[in-house]
DNA sequence: CATCACGGTATCCTTTTCGACACTATGTGC
DNA sequence: GCACATAGTGTCGAAAAGGATACCGTGATG
């Protein structure tokens, strides 16, 4: 049964899978994508992502920070000001993010997905 | 007007998000990645992904099929034979998959290319 | 006859995820 | 005095994702 083409590895380290684990939150990719364009504050991100709750946003942001993908800068001002930026590592995800955007634009931008054909 | 760079849209169609929705299963990306190399049968995939159960695999495969990313070919043989392939659409995800692999290799491959079981 | 392999299904259960809502602290505006 | 805005935190509970296990039909194998 030897099938050399498929013998790459029964259980490779799976960089793909590992990468996936860093960005498995539904919002993470989008957050990173938005952050690609520059610094954003907490509420700016929130307004950019309708449907996300503070709790979720905080959570995702914290995980991204813990994974070293973004940086969080707190200014000790009276109306609290917190700025989020991509880290070097986060910025290096740009090819992936852009590839996703390009794919989405090319493949499901035709007429907007929402097809519920049951 | 501050920052035109951020004025892209408060709620763009989000190709990124939409793309993400197609591949949000933990195993989907990996399945697609494996399938890049060619046709695989059900149990071949299963063996390639230790830790996935039949139920999960079936599930993910069905979703991928429903999303038009893979094709499923059933041969009416006595030991049932089912082959999975990437569709055109699925194959067009290659840049994303490869970008993920490249990123993973570059950023978290520091010391784990062992994993040679069997 | 019993078992195995194939490609699943079905059922049950645990874990994780996610949403809603309330609460904090503080300086400003009304 | 009160509400508002910022940037969160905490708790509760529902929903979903995912895992474990058992079962199916059949034909070849032992």
């Amino acid at each position: 049964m030897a099938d050399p083409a498929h013998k790459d590895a029964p259980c490779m380290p799976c960089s793909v899978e590992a990468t996936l684990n860093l960005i498995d939150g539904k919002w993470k990719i989008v957050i990173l994508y938005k952050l690609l364009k520059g610094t954003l504050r907490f509420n700016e991100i929130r307004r950019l992502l309708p449907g996300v709750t503070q709790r979720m946003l905080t959570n995702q942001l914290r995980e991204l920070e813990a994974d070293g993908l973004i940086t969080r800068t707190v200014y000790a001002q009276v109306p609290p000001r917190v700025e989020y930026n991509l880290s070097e590592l986060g910025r290096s995800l740009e090819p992936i993010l852009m590839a996703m955007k390009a794919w989405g634009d090319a493949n499901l931008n035709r007429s907007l997905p929402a097809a519920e054909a049951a």
Side-chain angles (χ1 to χ4, degrees), chain A:
Chain A
M1 321 297 208
D3 220 357
H6 289 159
K7 300 296 287 182
D8 50 338
C11 165
M12 53 153 50
C14 270
S15 333
V16 178
E17 193 176 349
T19 301
L20 205 56
N21 273 336
L22 289 185
I23 54 181
D24 64 348
K26 192 170 45 179
W27 303 102
K28 284 190 190 172
I29 292 271
V30 188
I31 294 172
L32 291 170
Y33 180 74
K34 299 290 186 190
L35 242 21
L36 224 46
K37 292 156 204 151
T39 301
L40 287 174
R41 299 177 54 176
F42 185 85
N43 273 357
E44 284 178 326
I45 300 177
R46 188 141 79 102
R47 277 189 282 267
L48 247 29
L49 308 182
V52 73
T53 57
Q54 281 119 320
R55 202 182 74 85
M56 268 322 294
L57 187 52
T58 304
N59 217 311
Q60 303 278 290
L61 252 12
R62 291 298 144 105
E63 285 185 29
L64 288 170
E65 192 195 2
D67 288 335
L69 297 176
I70 63 171
T71 59
R72 179 166 173 270
T73 313
V74 184
Y75 297 88
Q77 301 179 355
V78 148
R81 173 190 205 102
V82 180
E83 289 186 349
Y84 291 94
N85 272 289
L86 288 184
S87 65
E88 278 299 310
L89 190 62
R91 190 155 292 281
S92 70
L93 284 169
E94 184 162 356
I96 299 179
L97 301 174
M98 293 318 265
M100 280 193 183
K101 166 115 170 67
W103 191 89
D105 282 348
N107 292 285
L108 28 86
N109 204 6
R110 317 266 163 182
S111 56
L112 246 287
E116 253 79 41

